Each structure stands twice: as C-alpha cells, then as structure tokens.
Amino acid sequence: MNLKSCFQSMNLHIGMRNIKTAFAATLCALLYLFFGRNPTFACIGAVFGMGSDMENSQLHGGNRLFGTAIGGFLGMALFRFYIIFYPDGSTHPLILVLLFVGVVILILISQNVWPGAVQPGSVVLCILLFNTPVATYVSYSLNRILDTGIGVVIALAINYVMSKERVDKWRSSYRAKKTPHNK
C-alpha cells in the first residue's frame, strides 16, 4: 500500500489551508529565531489567524488578536489593583472577585468591539490573574499582544498571497507554459 492510498483509506486530505497554516506557523518560528525570542504565541496567532479564505482569516485572527489585547490590558489593570493589596501576588479571595468583574467587563467590551474576543480574552485574563509573576505581568501581557499580532498578520499575509484565486492562476499559467501550443 502506497502513502497516497493509505491517506485515502483514512480519509485524510492535505489541502491548501493545511499547507498555508503550517507555512505561517513555521515562518513565525523562523522569524523569531532571528531575534532570539520564543515564537509560541506568534505561532498560535498564525494558526488561529489562518482561515479558508481572507474573510474567515480576518474573523478568526481578529478574534484572537482583539481578545488577547482586551484580556491583556484588562488583566494588567486588574492585577495592578490586586497587587496594591497583595504585593507578593499570592492568591487571596479578592482575586476571585476581580476575575468575576474582569470577565463581565471583558464580555461588555467584546460585545461592543469584537464579539469573538471573549474566549481568547478570557484565557489571557486568567493567565494574568492566576499564573503570571508580579515582576513580569506587564511585559508578559504586552509581549503576548505583540506576538499574537505578528502571528495573525503573517497568517493574513500568507492567506492573501496564497489565496485560492492566485494559486489557481499560478497553476494555470504554469500548465500553459508546460503545454506546447499547436499552431
């Protein structure tokens, strides 16, 4: 059994979206290697930002980017308030109140800015409130927003350059050059 029939028997298909997604994530990782930075959140942004077409990419990439930004800035503000009372950042019941208030505010902001931002924004908010050291919560949040933005932009650029229409046009042009013309 050859590889192609093995994939077919498992009903697997590697299409352009798979290739574009892998390319976007790999390009992010390569770019970040040059700067000695961890590419994790840029790669995640690229994967979330890749859709079947530009409209889908803008929707899902926007969800991730706006969610990360809203959750990041809101989380910084709430955590800053929290460490006024608990400078060491240790867990006390006040953090639960701030989480509740933060999720309500996040949903209200998202409803007016970008409705799909709630889930990714909540992830960033929870990480900031429960899992980020006091000394790095601002840099963590800003880096997370920046990295997500870079990943989403790379995904959008790749989806634009490698749109179905462009790829089909390139294929047609390539085939036309390979096929001898009858005169």
Side-chain angles (χ1 to χ4, degrees):
M1 177 180 266
N2 65 26
L3 189 59
K4 183 177 179 178
S5 59
C6 181
F7 276 126
Q8 289 172 339
S9 69
M10 291 188 293
N11 198 25
L12 298 176
H13 171 73
I14 298 175
M16 276 306 293
R17 183 174 176 185
N18 302 64
I19 300 301
K20 291 187 296 186
T21 303
F23 183 56
T26 304
L27 185 59
C28 284
L30 177 65
L31 177 68
Y32 273 63
L33 286 176
F34 286 117
F35 294 101
R37 286 178 54 101
N38 186 320
T40 302
F41 294 110
C43 293
I44 292 169
V47 170
F48 273 83
M50 185 57 67
S52 55
D53 56 28
M54 278 305 288
E55 186 177 327
N56 198 277
S57 285
Q58 290 168 341
L59 173 67
H60 294 293
N63 289 349
R64 186 71 182 186
L65 179 59
F66 285 108
T68 301
I70 295 167
F73 287 121
L74 181 60
M76 279 193 294
L78 291 171
F79 197 68
R80 176 68 188 118
F81 178 78
Y82 182 73
I83 61 175
I84 289 170
F85 300 100
Y86 303 101
D88 64 352
S90 57
T91 304
H92 293 276
L94 175 60
I95 201 83
L96 302 175
V97 174
L98 293 177
L99 174 64
F100 182 88
V101 169
V103 171
V104 169
I105 293 171
L106 178 93
I107 292 169
L108 291 172
I109 293 171
S110 296
Q111 286 173 337
N112 290 293
V113 175
W114 196 278
V118 173
Q119 291 84 358
S122 296
V123 169
V124 176
L125 177 65
C126 290
I127 290 171
L128 281 165
L129 293 178
F130 293 108
N131 202 37
T132 307
V134 172
T136 60
Y137 78 97
V138 172
S139 63
Y140 172 83
S141 182
L142 294 176
N143 281 315
R144 180 95 185 248
I145 293 165
L146 174 69
D147 295 341
T148 299
I150 289 170
V152 168
V153 166
I154 287 174
L156 290 171
I158 288 172
N159 209 359
Y160 177 78
V161 171
M162 296 177 71
S163 69
K164 181 175 178 9
E165 296 79 21
R166 275 195 176 80
V167 171
D168 287 346
K169 186 176 176 181
W170 293 337
R171 283 181 184 156
S172 295
S173 176
Y174 176 74
R175 287 182 187 134
K177 289 178 183 176
K178 276 185 66 177
T179 307
H181 296 289
N182 293 335
K183 292 188 178 187

